[in-house]
Amino acid sequence: MEMRLFILFLVVTALTKCQSNQNDAVDTNAIQERKTISFIKELLPDKKDKFPFETNAGKLHYDSTLTLIASQKIAHNNAFNQSQISIDSVGQYFCHALVNEIIPYWYGTTWDFNGHTDRPNEGVIACGYFVSTTLRHFDVKVNRFKLAQQASLNIVKSLACDTKIYSYSNPDKIKMLEELKSNLEEGLYVVGLSNHVGFLFLKDREVYFLHSTFLTPGAVIAELAEKSDAFMWSDVYYIGSVSNNPSLMKKWLNGEQLAIIGA
């Protein structure tokens, strides 16, 4: 009888601990979700109802999201090899998933010049490492340390894979943004600045800058490029396509290692 009671006690204790861990996980995810939404509202108060991001942060653990994306990569690779989808469809998925399912977890992660954390909102991260780490977590085969340590132009060249790079030197910034809206396809791009690097996301004739900023708030954020001091203060701009880049998309599908220019 005592043995049965002891076993029952162990079962109840285990179930209670399991439930407690689940509650802790839910609380952690809920905190991340609130933090993400807070950043969106603070950064774009006049456009919060039209914000084009559909964040999944908080709905799944980060590792679960990475696992899901890995399975989606396999599915897209199989479908592409069987001519069921085009490389453009692959690029559209790449853009959507990176922007909505990976990067939002990183919002609020503290910037530091030497930061290279491998976990969102744990430790600190520099601008180059934000780009290289999110891509590496998306299963782009690239050495995130070597890529992040290159000059911004070489980061863009490495990801552009010999496709066209749009470059500007001391441009009229507003005119340049209008040209980008008119001439570039919607999607994800990498942009190298004078002393900075990040992603550009073009959607609904708006240009958003996703980056780990050294300016206020000193963290990973998404903001309108035209309202970003870090973006607007640059003297040079090097812009290369990510999601509209067939060569890069095929390398991602096939798991090919990216060559790093300058390494």
Side-chain angles (χ1 to χ4, degrees):
M1 184 64 158
E2 291 181 354
M3 179 59 69
R4 290 180 179 177
L5 289 174
F6 179 67
I7 293 174
L8 179 60
F9 170 75
L10 290 179
V11 171
V12 171
T13 300
L15 290 173
T16 302
K17 185 176 181 180
C18 180
Q19 183 63 45
S20 175
N21 289 339
Q22 290 178 348
N23 289 339
D24 289 344
V26 171
D27 290 343
T28 300
N29 287 342
I31 290 172
Q32 178 61 52
E33 177 74 358
R34 288 196 296 271
K35 191 170 187 179
T36 299
I37 293 173
S38 175
F39 263 82
I40 290 174
K41 289 182 177 180
E42 289 177 8
L43 291 168
L44 299 172
D46 59 330
K47 289 185 176 289
K48 59 186 177 183
D49 294 330
K50 298 181 180 179
F51 200 75
F53 299 79
E54 302 169 6
T55 175
N56 285 330
K59 298 177 183 177
L60 291 173
H61 285 294
Y62 189 59
D63 289 340
S64 298
T65 295
L66 299 187
T67 300
L68 178 61
I69 286 174
S71 67
Q72 286 293 314
K73 175 184 175 181
I74 294 173
H76 278 75
N77 189 35
N78 291 337
F80 177 71
N81 288 333
Q82 295 171 19
S83 300
Q84 295 174 349
I85 60 173
S86 67
I87 199 65
D88 288 342
S89 295
V90 173
Q92 290 169 8
Y93 166 74
F94 189 104
C95 177
H96 172 83
L98 187 63
V99 169
N100 295 308
E101 298 178 17
I102 293 289
I103 290 177
Y105 286 91
W106 290 84
Y107 291 151
T109 304
T110 302
W111 171 89
D112 184 84
F113 182 78
N114 297 307
H116 57 269
T117 182
D118 194 41
R119 302 294 298 178
N121 280 288
E122 295 180 16
V124 293
I125 195 158
C127 61
Y129 278 100
F130 165 66
V131 170
S132 68
T133 302
T134 51
L135 287 172
R136 187 65 192 88
H137 285 186
F138 203 73
D139 206 25
V140 174
K141 295 297 188 274
V142 64
N143 186 312
R144 75 182 188 99
F145 292 96
K146 289 184 178 180
L147 182 64
Q149 292 165 4
Q150 304 310 310
S152 63
L153 175 57
N154 285 340
I155 292 176
V156 175
K157 285 182 177 179
S158 299
L159 296 175
C161 300
D162 296 323
T163 58
K164 181 177 180 179
I165 293 175
Y166 298 85
S167 61
Y168 298 85
S169 178
N170 294 307
D172 178 317
K173 311 300 174 60
I174 300 301
K175 182 179 179 180
M176 177 188 69
L177 285 171
E178 288 303 316
E179 289 181 0
L180 294 180
K181 294 175 186 179
S182 299
N183 298 333
L184 297 187
E185 295 181 67
E186 288 193 349
L188 189 66
Y189 297 79
V190 60
V191 57
L193 307 178
S194 299
N195 296 292
H196 196 40
V197 66
F199 292 113
L200 287 185
F201 177 50
L202 274 68
K203 178 72 172 178
D204 298 330
R205 291 192 53 78
E206 292 288 4
V207 181
Y208 299 88
F209 190 31
L210 287 59
H211 60 130
S212 182
T213 181
F214 51 94
L215 301 175
T216 303
V220 175
I221 59 173
E223 56 186 342
L224 284 169
E226 65 191 49
K227 294 186 178 181
S228 169
D229 288 336
F231 183 84
M232 298 297 281
W233 287 353
S234 182
D235 294 324
V236 296
Y237 298 82
Y238 305 108
I239 302 169
S241 178
V242 174
S243 63
N244 295 315
N245 184 336
S247 179
L248 179 59
M249 292 301 96
K250 290 177 182 178
K251 288 180 182 295
W252 173 65
L253 287 178
N254 296 327
E256 295 181 32
Q257 190 73 26
L258 259 63
I260 298 176
I261 306 299

